[in-house]
Amino acid sequence: MQPQEFAAKWRDLAPRLTERAAYQEHWRDLCALLGERGPTDAGDPDNYAFEKHVKKAGTGETGFADVFKRGHFIAEYKGHGKSLGKALQQALLYARELDNPPLLIVSDLNVIEIHTNFTGSSPRTLRITLDDIERDAPVGGDLTALQVLRAAFRDPGRLDPRQLRERVTQDATAQIGQVAQALAARGTAPIPAAHFLMRVVFAMFAEDVGLLERGLLTRVLRRAREHPDRSQGYFQELFTAMQGGGEFWGTDVRHFNGGLFDDGAALPITQGDADRLLQAATLDWAEVEPAIFGTLFEQSLDAATRSKRGAHYTSVPDILRVTDPVVMQPLRREWAKVKADAEVLATKRGGRRAALDALQAFHARLGDATVLDPACGSGNFLVVTLGQLLDLEHEVRLLAFELGAGPFDLPPRVHPRQLRGLEIEPFAHELASVSVWIAYFQWKSAHGGEWDTPVLQRLPEIRQGDALLTAVAGEDGQVRYVETAWPAAEFIVGNPPFLGEKKQGPRLGLPYLQQLRAAYQGRVAASSDLVCYWFEKARAAIEGGVTRRAGLISTNSINMLGNRQVLERIGETGAIFLAWPNLPWLQDGAAVRVAAVCFDGGQEQERLLGHLVGERTPQEREVLVSVPAIHANLSAGADVTQAVRLPENAGLSFQGVKLAGAFDVTGDVARAWLALPNPGGVSNADVLRPLLNGDDLMDVRGDTWVIDFASRSEEEAAQYLVPFAHVMEHVKPVRATNNRKSRRDRYWQLGEVMPAMRRALAPLPRYLGTSIVAKHRAFVWCEARDLPSGRLVVVASDQDWMHGLLNSRVHTLWADRAGSTHGKGNDLTYTSTTCFETFPFPVWTLASQEAVAAAGRFVETARGGMRTQGYTLTGMHNALGAVEGTTSPAYTLKLAHERLDQAVAAAYGWEWPLSEDEVLARLLALNLERRP
């Protein structure tokens, strides 16, 4: 069917046919127009059907959704000219019972409205008339009528308001950012400039949602463009009217105030500024995405301020991974019970009043729920949570109206005043309140309702200040710092700043850092990332009974030794009930990895670990696995964090040397120096060694050497003329500025000489090395003359059985679980203390040790065969994962590893194969048995 044919037919039939007589024919014609199958053609009545049977919420009766396509939409019809609002209410009542599809479609045979219903996003309505279909006119931003309809069938996500809103928001903030930069160039201070622009932006938004007369600000901007010298006065008049309400240029203006318009202060603008603001005003500010608006607006003004504390932007899907389980899951559980009870009561004689009482009680409870983001930035977590609370309230009120409640029985209660926040940067704090109000007004504009007077209200519980320390003046006039008291809240969510231990002093200042560590001594380790302080305070709020649940996002290093203490304390007073240990993230344009951790006082019975499958592919999906418990390293199964360092493993593994200066030279330079004479007859070969790093082991061997005077005195080092001269020229000037006295004084020595490692390796002809950070865990033979860098862990052994044991699956499973992951590549990290010194060796016999040694030698032989084919060690392990049969290049290496794993398991006295959890459980039991 062609668009013109469809439009002509239904212009004729719509006024003459009833809904019941016409809707299925209308839908079939729509499918024919779009080239889609109809419900009866699809042959899948459970997932795509006319008259989909559904329980009618609130009455105990059953109903029928006119059209239902699982994961796509519910469609409800009304007769020509009838209220589509009633059709939408019906669709909303069915939606929760039908897995909450992302689109709700209503039609009167003449007009089609598509209402978006995506979780965590403000709703949006796309209205399509027969004229729009006939002309395939634009109706959804950059989509035409037919594109919108096809997306409903094929790709509902294309209609997600966030996709359009992100584009609008990025365009809008870019235009405002240009004006901000122009103001800064003219010497305007950042805070007054930002405050002025925030007022202008809110006025643009107010126009587009109907709070200001449409076109009013555009008139102001046009006059400002014509008369830049009068522009400040124009804005002052407008802002003064918005301060208390009144008349402006012949138009009545509402009372706004709320702190944003607490006076009429304004700035003058130039003709160029006015042009940019006029261009920004042409955008639909009602479509900005408030969850990201604040951050993008803030970054357009000053990208440096929040990066000082490691602050960053959080996307809506990442926010939902925290707000859903922490805030909405318990509230929805309560609602499910109340709803079920109300539905039963409503079926009984005279029971509707009792059902309404139950709904009113839950509605009041919902209005009392409080949510705190203790590092709220520009408010994105608060914005998303508010939208979720409003959606749930809407569901409650719809059911109440279905049961006969009047408009005054359940007036709206969910409000921005339920939100609490803490933010140290003054402008970001103000912007958080504005973002929250924008989100609130967007929601009300989409759902209807009266505007409050004043339109804006102060939100005193969104506070400006330090979330960790508060300065207090003593009677002696001295200022001291005490722990900040957070606003009381039922739920805590957020994305506190990431700032590693080494960056805290330079970023925060040493005096502040010393006070911070003193205030939290015994609760947060000095080696912790800054984010750990927020975890500890949230835990304490739960322990004290002030807070019910909390969920925070951190770097994925939260489960490493330096940070893990805060998660261990959570386990002592409560429990982690959901964790995403390892998620991709962008911070300041750089790819990093984060963890999302949700916890409570131990009341939640279900424990879930999340991970992504098919990460960064079109097939990416989230998987949540139910587990008995989540440990402090954010894993389930055997809790290897309990493992202790075993005395018998001490003194065998070490991290390599750290240069702390330009001691490295190219191989060509080093080999030339080897031939140079020295006055005392000493050879430069004594102090020149090949340097090994992780890439040398796992990928292509480089040709870097190092000047290594080891523990020689300055006088002894000076005997090696050219190497010493290099150090004098390239190292000593830089070392002179080093904060560590030992490095300044002993400038000719490497930063970390590692004498214990040298003593352990000295008698050996070879030793084992592994890259600390690597995609695959593998141990490699290194020559005695090679000096391992600080990017390697080495094991002081030249025995084949050690090579075999460390390359076995038994050891690599332990190392992977006991270690951590690192960086954007999500690579595994190996440390001596957690991975090697805790690993329990088998109780060897001569036969078992020789069997493992032989199997280890064969693994090395198989590796050698692949090296001759051009494979690096990383390439070998990638090929191992792709072995499909005997013709695969890594098939022999696969067999070699299988033989090795069998031999190692036999040395422990185990059957093989075993599951990962069983291997870890047995190793942990051995470790704890040998605890000193």
Side-chain angles (χ1 to χ4, degrees), residues 630-678:
I630 300 174
H631 309 310
N633 63 351
L634 302 185
S635 71
D639 185 4
V640 301
T641 64
Q642 298 179 23
V644 299
R645 295 162 69 178
L646 301 173
E648 57 265 35
N649 291 20
L652 287 174
S653 66
F654 308 88
Q655 187 176 0
V657 300
K658 296 181 181 179
L659 304 191
F663 291 91
D664 52 316
V665 296
T666 66
D668 288 341
V669 169
R671 283 184 287 274
W673 287 358
L674 288 174
L676 297 178
N678 292 301

Side-chain angles (χ1 to χ4, degrees), residues 96 323-341 362 365-366 392 395-396 490-491 548-549 577-578 600 602-608 624 626:
R96 180 61 58 182
T323 59
D324 261 349
V326 170
V327 181
M328 300 312 298
Q329 182 187 84
L331 291 176
R332 285 208 170 276
R333 282 180 184 163
E334 293 175 39
W335 167 233
K337 184 178 186 308
V338 170
K339 180 182 176 184
D341 291 346
F362 178 76
R365 182 265 182 278
L366 196 58
L392 181 55
E395 194 176 325
V396 175
E490 183 177 0
F491 306 106
R548 182 176 173 188
R549 294 158 83 107
F577 62 83
L578 185 147
D600 66 356
Q603 295 82 10
E604 176 61 57
Q605 297 303 302
E606 188 175 36
R607 306 281 188 267
L608 296 171
L624 286 169
S626 181

Side-chain angles (χ1 to χ4, degrees), residues 376-664:
C376 67
S378 47
N380 47 5
F381 272 78
L382 298 178
V383 162
V384 171
T385 308
L386 176 64
Q388 291 179 289
L389 292 173
L390 287 166
D391 286 344
L392 181 55
E393 180 187 44
H394 188 56
E395 194 176 325
V396 175
R397 296 181 74 223
L398 281 175
L399 179 54
F401 297 148
E402 187 79 13
L403 293 176
F408 301 107
D409 290 332
L410 274 84
R413 291 184 59 108
V414 172
H415 192 274
R417 61 177 164 264
Q418 294 171 241
L419 306 177
R420 284 90 174 90
L422 281 166
E423 173 52 43
I424 194 167
E425 304 297 346
F427 174 59
H429 158 255
E430 185 175 24
L431 189 53
S433 296
V434 172
S435 297
V436 164
W437 282 116
I438 287 177
Y440 183 62
F441 294 141
Q442 269 189 344
W443 195 95
K444 290 193 71 172
S445 177
H447 291 82
E450 297 296 320
W451 301 114
D452 295 329
T453 300
V455 174
L456 298 172
Q457 300 172 27
R458 292 185 183 272
L459 300 175
E461 292 302 323
I462 299 180
R463 305 176 188 173
Q464 192 263 315
D466 190 327
L468 302 180
L469 292 179
T470 299
V472 177
E475 295 180 359
D476 57 359
Q478 296 293 314
V479 175
R480 60 189 181 88
Y481 288 89
V482 298
E483 183 178 344
T484 298
W486 285 1
E490 183 177 0
F491 306 106
I492 294 174
V493 295
N495 177 19
F498 310 160
L499 205 59
E501 175 200 3
K502 293 180 180 178
K503 295 182 179 179
Q504 290 170 19
R507 296 277 188 94
L508 305 177
L510 287 176
Y512 177 92
L513 184 58
Q514 290 166 354
Q515 294 272 6
L516 178 67
R517 290 176 176 173
Y520 291 85
Q521 188 173 10
R523 298 164 59 195
V524 180
S527 60
S528 297
D529 190 300
L530 190 66
V531 72
C532 293
Y533 292 88
W534 275 263
F535 275 83
E536 167 56 22
K537 284 187 66 64
R539 181 209 63 79
I542 293 172
E543 183 185 25
V546 175
T547 297
R548 182 176 173 188
R549 294 158 83 107
L552 300 172
I553 291 176
S554 74
T555 60
N556 68 339
S557 62
I558 189 72
N559 63 352
M560 293 180 67
L561 275 179
N563 299 322
R564 193 184 297 162
Q565 177 185 346
V566 293
L567 300 186
E568 291 171 347
R569 286 175 62 81
I570 288 171
E572 291 167 2
T573 60
I576 298 168
F577 62 83
L578 185 147
W580 294 84
N582 206 344
L583 292 167
W585 190 265
L586 280 176
Q587 181 178 350
D588 298 329
V592 296
R593 310 292 298 190
V594 301
V597 184
C598 304
F599 51 99
D600 66 356
Q603 295 82 10
E604 176 61 57
Q605 297 303 302
E606 188 175 36
R607 306 281 188 267
L608 296 171
L609 269 179
H611 66 277
L612 297 180
V613 173
E615 186 180 313
R616 296 193 182 95
T617 71
Q619 292 75 40
E620 179 179 293
R621 61 187 176 89
E622 298 181 350
V623 175
L624 286 169
V625 179
S626 181
V627 296
I630 300 174
H631 309 310
N633 63 351
L634 302 185
S635 71
D639 185 4
V640 301
T641 64
Q642 298 179 23
V644 299
R645 295 162 69 178
L646 301 173
E648 57 265 35
N649 291 20
L652 287 174
S653 66
F654 308 88
Q655 187 176 0
V657 300
K658 296 181 181 179
L659 304 191
F663 291 91
D664 52 316

Side-chain angles (χ1 to χ4, degrees), residues 172-183 197 276 297 300-301:
T173 52
Q175 297 289 344
I176 299 300
Q178 291 181 29
V179 179
Q181 291 161 20
L183 289 171
L197 289 174
R276 294 185 184 96
F297 184 54
S300 75
L301 302 175

